[in-house]
Amino acid sequence: ASSAGPYYIISRTLGADIGCSIGLLYYLGNVLSCSMFVLGAVEAVQHSVRAYYARWGYGFSGHVFRWDVQVMALVLVVSMAACVHVGTKYVTLFSNLFLIVTLMSVLL
């Protein structure tokens, strides 16, 4: 028995034509959700920077330069692609670091 996931089950159960169309929609949904998650993360970082500077009385818009949102999103996407390229072994190795960063962003 193979454990290839939902696409394997759909393509074997409903056939290759329906499985292909559902697989393409599944892929498109993953791509769009990834871009939305990246933009949400960049906006959260900008909001945190604005809140940090507002706490100390500085008026900071959150923008460092004109294309900072695009650059931050590109750095985040490239780092995620590097994680995928390296493999899940190293992602689980750094999972404690990811947990600490997430907890610090929630608590601060």
Side-chain angles (χ1 to χ4, degrees):
S2 176
S3 61
Y7 173 71
Y8 178 80
I9 294 170
I10 290 170
S11 66
R12 296 295 183 245
T13 306
L14 300 175
D17 296 336
I18 295 175
C20 180
S21 61
I22 291 175
L24 286 174
L25 290 174
Y26 184 68
Y27 171 77
L28 184 63
N30 280 335
V31 168
L32 292 176
S33 68
C34 179
S35 65
M36 290 297 174
F37 289 144
V38 166
L39 288 177
V42 169
E43 286 183 8
V45 167
Q46 280 189 325
H47 178 71
S48 297
V49 168
R50 276 194 297 265
Y52 176 77
Y53 282 103
R55 182 181 301 163
W56 298 105
Y58 299 110
F60 184 63
S61 67
H63 292 284
V64 179
F65 54 94
R66 182 180 170 107
W67 302 102
D68 63 344
V69 174
Q70 289 82 2
V71 170
M72 283 192 285
L74 184 65
V75 167
L76 188 58
V77 167
V78 168
S79 65
M80 288 190 307
C83 286
V84 170
H85 180 70
V86 167
T88 58
K89 176 183 174 185
Y90 293 103
V91 173
T92 56
L93 182 68
F94 291 112
S95 64
N96 291 332
L97 175 68
F98 297 151
L99 177 65
I100 290 170
V101 169
T102 304
L103 286 176
M104 294 301 286
S105 67
V106 168
L107 294 176
L108 299 178

